[in-house]
Amino acid sequence: MNKKTKLTNAIASVIGGLTLAAGGVSSASAATTMYNLYDNNGATPCAPCNAYGQPGGVFNAAGGQTDGWVWGGPTPENSYKGGNSGGNPNAATAGWVGTSGSTTTPFNYVGAVSLNWGIQLNSANDSGQISNADSLSRYGVSANIDTAKGAWYDNASPSGQGWKHDLDIGLFRSAVTTDVELDIHGVNLSGTNYGFTIFQGMTSNNSGYVHHGDWNQNGNGTPLPNDIGFTLGDIVATTDISGATPVNLNHIRFTAQAGQIYTIMLGGVRDGTWYDTNDGYVLNVAAVPIPGAIWLFGSALAGFGFFGQRRKGN
């Protein structure tokens, strides 16, 4: 067998092995998505879903409300000011789909802060999507996945802030240590910008949460409200709007440690007010593949004897 044929066969063997390994990981695992059932729209698609504000930014209390309450509403019931939104392992009311049981929260969350969704990546090549469409496809229920155009940071002048009413909050965990990329876009509208704040861990606030109020003055530039249950020191990645060109707008990347839970807060940036909700969103979450396959490829070729050989006569 000549060297050219031997090299061709070696490359085929390596590529075949890598493909088999990648296929095995892909087929053995897939991202797990979890959705809050509060304010769901049954089996009817919606984006937005029962939004707090109306298209054009005109507030209509009868036509919309806040979302993210975990067990059928806050305490006191049907109040958007204060109460406990968090997990209750003994609750009789179904709160979630995608978890181990309808009354089980993602990652056993018990915080008072509202929570809309959860996602777990199960391998180094995993990816998943948070959206109304994903909830319908997986579970047959139309989860309330939408946010306001000014929920992360509104367009108030001269200085703004984010508002908790339509801020969407999710939990994330990866089974392996990996870089993770988040990409977000609107369902029906183009041009809407979104911001992220990613905290390590889950909220420390397990009792009492005020859904009506600001949370992000000066774009994470000042201390956060106590009822958020995080400090600025807990932030591992965030959108930065302090300069002329925003950083991490609509896309953000961070390193997730295996088994560590992260809290993701997201919403519109400077495209409207805190109650101006007129679109759902699609959030794509993906582990960033480590380029180790290149080194594996080289090592495999070396094993076949194509590197380190001295040519005769040299």
Side-chain angles (χ1 to χ4, degrees):
M1 182 183 295
N2 60 40
K3 279 194 172 185
K4 183 176 180 180
T5 302
K6 187 176 179 181
L7 176 60
T8 301
N9 290 342
I11 292 173
S13 297
V14 174
I15 293 176
L18 292 176
T19 303
L20 179 61
V25 170
S26 177
S27 61
S29 65
T32 303
T33 56
M34 298 154 271
Y35 293 96
N36 188 341
L37 290 178
Y38 179 73
D39 238 8
N40 75 82
N41 201 40
T44 304
C46 58
C49 305
N50 200 10
Y52 187 66
Q54 302 302 306
V58 179
F59 172 67
N60 184 336
Q65 56 188 324
T66 57
D67 55 29
W69 300 117
V70 177
W71 298 109
T75 304
E77 194 72 23
N78 299 322
S79 169
Y80 61 83
K81 293 184 178 179
N84 185 4
S85 167
N88 179 1
N90 300 314
T93 304
W96 291 86
V97 288
T99 60
S100 60
S102 63
T103 58
T104 303
T105 55
F107 315 124
N108 297 313
Y109 176 79
V110 294
V113 178
S114 58
L115 186 67
N116 298 87
W117 50 263
I119 184 170
Q120 172 160 308
L121 299 184
N122 297 307
S123 74
N125 297 294
D126 211 352
S127 63
Q129 182 184 104
I130 294 295
S131 66
N132 179 263
D134 177 74
S135 181
L136 274 169
S137 174
R138 289 182 184 239
Y139 309 114
V141 61
S142 185
N144 192 340
I145 302 298
D146 53 32
T147 187
K149 288 186 170 186
W152 192 87
Y153 197 82
D154 65 20
N155 61 356
S157 181
S159 62
Q161 61 261 305
W163 287 86
K164 293 180 283 186
H165 307 77
D166 275 322
L167 181 73
D168 261 26
I169 303 174
L171 296 179
F172 167 83
R173 184 172 70 183
S174 173
V176 297
T177 297
T178 181
D179 279 6
V180 178
E181 289 188 340
L182 308 180
D183 284 285
I184 188 171
H185 62 83
V187 174
N188 300 307
L189 303 177
S190 61
T192 300
N193 290 312
Y194 298 88
F196 306 92
T197 304
I198 302 173
F199 300 93
Q200 181 170 306
M202 294 189 284
T203 178
S204 61
N205 176 16
N206 295 339
S207 60
Y209 172 65
V210 180
H211 212 356
H212 181 81
D214 64 276
W215 78 279
N216 184 17
Q217 291 189 6
N218 299 318
N220 295 148
T222 58
L224 299 168
N226 290 333
D227 67 342
I228 287 291
F230 291 105
T231 69
L232 295 178
D234 296 319
I235 296 175
V236 297
T238 186
T239 298
D240 183 357
I241 58 173
S242 61
T245 302
V247 178
N248 295 328
L249 200 65
N250 305 318
H251 173 91
I252 197 167
R253 178 170 175 166
F254 73 103
T255 300
Q257 301 299 317
Q260 175 65 55
I261 297 170
Y262 298 88
T263 298
I264 300 171
M265 298 185 177
L266 62 87
V269 176
R270 290 177 170 168
D271 288 321
T273 64
W274 55 267
Y275 54 79
D276 189 5
T277 308
N278 55 1
D279 201 8
Y281 63 87
V282 173
L283 175 66
N284 293 304
V285 182
V288 180
I290 300 173
I294 297 174
W295 296 105
L296 179 61
F297 182 82
S299 299
L301 289 182
F304 281 99
F306 287 101
F307 298 118
Q309 294 184 353
R310 298 184 61 185
R311 295 177 62 184
K312 291 182 180 181
N314 289 345

